[in-house]
Amino acid sequence: AVGMSAYWMLEYPDGGPLQWTVGFALVAICWALIRNAFEKLARPVSAQADVTNVDQDVMTQLKMPPQPHLEIALDPPTGLHWSNPSTAYRFENEFCSGEYIFFHPPTEGEVSKAKLDFADYFKGKSRIWELRVQFNFKQAPSADRDLFFGTESEEYVPLSAAAKQVLGLCVATVKAAVGGLYHSPGDDPKRMLAGEEVEKPGFSLPLWAFDQFIVTPEGEARPDLMDRQFQSMGSKRYGRVKQYVQEMSELRQNITAGPTYTFAFWGTSRFADIINWRLVGVPMVGPIDLDKFIGRPPLHCVLYDLAPSEKGEKRHLHSRKRYYFRAAIWSSLHRPRWERMQALTGGALQRPPETASAGKARKRGLASRWEQLLGRAALNCCGDFASRGLLLKRLDPLQHLEDYRP
């Protein structure tokens, strides 16, 4: 279009004001479209990702909060859960059962009905979220299998040199804060042999990375995860790391079916602003989009044990893991693709079919948007001609060409 405009203006220099208006308008339109394309390429990954809009009827049916929140889908699927619930969520798999809550300070005027006052709880604390999870094991984890708690990504993400440097700083920061971190950027599937198992990217911490644990003997009432006195129960890591690690080591050797085991984690939460889906608080690094490291949501929060290494294998491969807790998490501000959300929630979310009127309205909206884009580009470029009444009527130059022919 630019070439045609230039050819037209140079070949027929005496075509009059309208001809030059049309040429400039086409050039401006092309420039606006090209600039828009480059802006999309330069945009952060999260801004380009598909933002799945959950239908209002679905939100009402599931009683989803309207404020920004964390959304959670367990494996095996049990529907859609979210942060700051009024009561703890239950889960069960082939190895254990239990309850969990994920909570953070209220967002955008959130009014909670929970027994725990989330706003008051976080006052004066550096943590920005907390996870509490409770287990009743159906069978004791094997003593020769180490237990790990951490996160897993769904896909391998090629990292630039700059991203690798930032990731290195993040790993060093977490190691300094907690210690015992196992981190893997994952295996690039393109570099693996056919049929060879790949390791997914992940961060894994030993069991003693939990900040608090409570053991409740079988037959006794287990702690309420919403109890206001929860912080005063059990054993905590803060200020007594060496002793706590020893206590957790003894706990690991004595885990059995029957008692209730309750854990709480918040130690590295100050580095992960999950609601806004970004890393924060890393020295010399500003807030950075999580998608640059994990690809796109969801991120999986996991507790697993790892089979002893065979043939010197050090990777945390899926075939070596046995999951006791596995939850896909993402922010309501940055959701996975709709199809992925449906699979993770076991079909709990159903997108309503688009009606004919809704389809027409959507098309009208797109047409209107194009008119605004093209019209703005032409007006910005040719405002002087427009002020003299020389701009084309409704951007339809050929229809009115005869009116301005010299």
Side-chain angles (χ1 to χ4, degrees):
V2 173
M4 289 176 62
S5 302
Y7 173 80
W8 189 15
M9 290 185 289
L10 294 175
E11 185 69 18
Y12 303 101
D14 299 326
L18 178 60
Q19 179 174 307
W20 284 91
T21 300
V22 173
F24 279 123
L26 289 173
V27 171
I29 291 168
C30 291
W31 168 247
L33 294 175
I34 292 171
R35 183 178 60 182
N36 184 57
F38 274 102
E39 285 177 352
K40 284 187 176 180
L41 289 174
R43 212 172 287 168
V45 175
S46 65
Q48 293 187 59
D50 295 340
V51 178
T52 302
N53 295 317
V54 176
D55 185 82
Q56 186 63 42
D57 291 340
V58 176
M59 293 184 65
T60 302
Q61 179 184 357
L62 297 179
K63 299 180 180 180
M64 293 172 63
Q67 301 87 5
H69 57 275
L70 187 77
E71 294 177 345
I72 307 149
L74 297 178
D75 181 19
T78 56
L80 185 65
H81 301 167
W82 45 83
S83 54
N84 289 13
S86 57
T87 58
Y89 291 110
R90 285 201 58 78
F91 69 92
E92 184 171 5
N93 54 52
E94 60 180 310
F95 303 115
C96 63
S97 62
E99 296 184 347
Y100 81 97
I101 58 169
F102 188 106
F103 61 102
H104 51 74
T107 60
E108 296 186 7
E110 174 187 339
V111 178
S112 174
K113 298 180 181 179
K115 180 167 60 176
L116 179 62
D117 186 334
F118 299 126
D120 183 67
Y121 178 81
F122 284 96
K123 287 181 180 178
K125 294 181 172 66
S126 61
R127 73 193 74 166
I128 58 177
W129 52 262
E130 184 172 329
L131 171 67
R132 295 176 181 174
V133 60
Q134 205 165 66
F135 297 92
N136 289 105
F137 294 97
K138 296 178 180 180
Q139 59 184 39
S142 301
D144 62 343
R145 297 173 69 100
D146 293 327
L147 278 167
F148 293 91
F149 168 75
T151 62
E152 292 177 346
S153 303
E154 289 207 332
E155 59 187 14
Y156 171 79
V157 180
L159 300 177
S160 65
K164 289 179 181 179
Q165 291 182 346
V166 172
L167 186 59
L169 285 172
C170 295
V171 171
T173 301
V174 173
K175 282 184 176 180
V178 180
L181 173 69
Y182 171 83
H183 165 249
S184 171
D187 295 323
D188 184 351
K190 296 179 180 179
R191 297 187 177 184
M192 305 298 287
L193 298 176
E196 187 176 2
E197 185 177 6
V198 299
E199 180 185 29
K200 292 185 177 181
F203 288 83
S204 298
L205 295 161
L207 201 61
W208 50 259
F210 278 109
D211 297 275
Q212 180 182 3
F213 74 87
I214 307 164
V215 181
T216 307
E218 186 175 8
E220 295 187 12
R222 61 190 179 192
D224 182 349
L225 297 182
M226 294 284 192
D227 195 320
R228 295 175 182 269
Q229 303 303 316
F230 184 92
Q231 286 276 284
S232 63
M233 302 178 187
S235 180
K236 292 195 289 187
R237 186 165 62 93
Y238 181 74
R240 49 190 296 276
V241 176
K242 187 175 181 179
Q243 183 180 355
Y244 181 83
V245 171
Q246 181 60 36
E247 291 171 353
M248 188 64 85
S249 178
E250 293 175 2
L251 169 69
R252 170 64 190 93
Q253 297 302 317
N254 293 290
I255 288 180
T256 185
T260 299
Y261 300 91
T262 305
F263 302 95
F265 180 80
W266 64 79
T268 60
S269 71
R270 64 186 184 273
F271 304 120
D273 181 359
I274 302 296
I275 298 297
N276 293 301
W277 208 248
R278 60 185 185 176
L279 290 175
V280 295
V282 180
M284 299 181 291
V285 178
I288 187 167
D289 191 342
L290 273 176
D291 281 7
K292 293 185 180 296
F293 304 108
I294 70 167
R296 61 178 303 118
L299 185 66
H300 292 266
C301 177
V302 295
L303 176 72
Y304 62 90
D305 66 18
L306 196 68
S309 174
E310 294 182 2
K311 300 178 180 179
E313 178 63 75
K314 296 182 179 180
R315 295 174 298 165
H316 288 206
L317 297 172
H318 181 80
S319 60
R320 296 180 61 200
K321 296 178 180 179
R322 184 164 53 190
Y323 292 98
Y324 296 94
F325 182 79
R326 191 167 189 260
I329 61 174
W330 61 84
S331 169
S332 63
L333 301 177
H334 185 44
R335 294 183 170 111
R337 293 187 177 92
W338 182 264
E339 294 75 16
R340 187 67 185 125
M341 284 183 66
Q342 283 185 310
L344 290 167
T345 59
L349 302 178
Q350 295 295 329
R351 173 177 286 170
E354 184 177 66
T355 62
S357 59
K360 290 179 180 178
R362 179 173 57 81
K363 291 178 180 178
R364 284 197 301 272
L366 291 173
S368 175
R369 176 60 183 147
W370 270 105
E371 286 185 6
Q372 292 174 11
L373 174 63
L374 301 181
R376 189 184 305 117
L379 286 170
N380 288 342
C381 180
C382 310
D384 184 51
F385 285 120
S387 66
R388 287 185 285 159
L390 295 175
L391 245 187
L392 319 178
K393 298 177 183 178
R394 293 186 62 80
L395 290 176
D396 195 357
L398 299 180
Q399 179 179 345
H400 303 281
L401 189 60
E402 295 296 332
D403 297 340
Y404 299 93
R405 190 180 295 276

